[in-house]
Amino acid sequence: MPIVLHLPKGDLPRRTPLLEAVAQAVALVCIDDRVSPGGPWHEPYAAWLDARMRKIARRARGAHWLAAHDVPGVTVEVDGCQARAFVPGPVDEIDPRLGRLQIGGTDLERDVPGEPAEGVPVIWFDAGLEMSVGKAAAQVGHGVMLMMAGMSRTRLDSWIGDGCPVAVREAGPDRWKDLSAAVARSEPGTSAVVDAGFTEVAPGSLTVISVDC
């Protein structure tokens, strides 16, 4: 699943709302009517679900960002920060309007967001891994999908009805220890992404932990 981050020159977005936009955009692609059987996105989406569900984040600005909107997908804006998630497909068959976009160079300064709103699920990422924004974007995309898969039908319908709100926050060592323990206990509403280790982090690393309480 390609993901494109809008990084306009001279007016860079804040890291946290950008990652929240990514998470919400991925979720909206997954629940879009067009991925349902008979829909125009169903075949590529179903094939992706049956394969290794990779996500690759790229960056764009100006005309390239505008051109990305001509490729099927969903754009989300959170606090002025925009990201777009696209209909998935084979890596070697990516639309050239996306394939020409750079993968690297997505580092942004860490920000200090406030506490997540009550009742909104949170995707926590391990501050100790020091992931680039591009890597973190892919991981929160994985995290929101695992979180959705763990929701009851009633909870999922309620969350969708609210517009799929999701918070993204960085976890320091103590909080990450507590979150990892919750995953080990298989605590309801908690799920973790275990990274394959293709980029940036060691194989088997827990990169993000989603909590829906």
Side-chain angles (χ1 to χ4, degrees), residues 24-46:
Q24 193 174 11
V26 170
L28 290 174
V29 168
C30 293
I31 64 170
D32 196 290
D33 288 342
R34 288 167 288 186
V35 306
S36 300
W41 297 356
H42 175 69
E43 288 190 12
Y45 182 77

Side-chain angles (χ1 to χ4, degrees), residues 167-180:
V168 174
R169 293 294 185 271
E170 183 177 75
D174 291 341
R175 187 185 292 272
W176 191 254
K177 181 179 178 180
D178 291 343
L179 290 167
S180 299

Side-chain angles (χ1 to χ4, degrees), residues 3 19 22 55 123 125 129 131-146 193-196 199 201 205-210:
I3 297 168
L19 292 175
V22 169
K55 297 181 181 70
I123 300 176
F125 65 93
L129 293 178
M131 293 183 288
S132 68
V133 173
K135 177 69 173 180
Q139 300 308 299
V140 300
H142 297 328
V144 76
M145 289 185 68
L146 283 178
V193 174
V194 181
D195 197 74
T199 60
V201 302
S205 299
L206 295 185
T207 52
V208 300
I209 296 175
S210 303

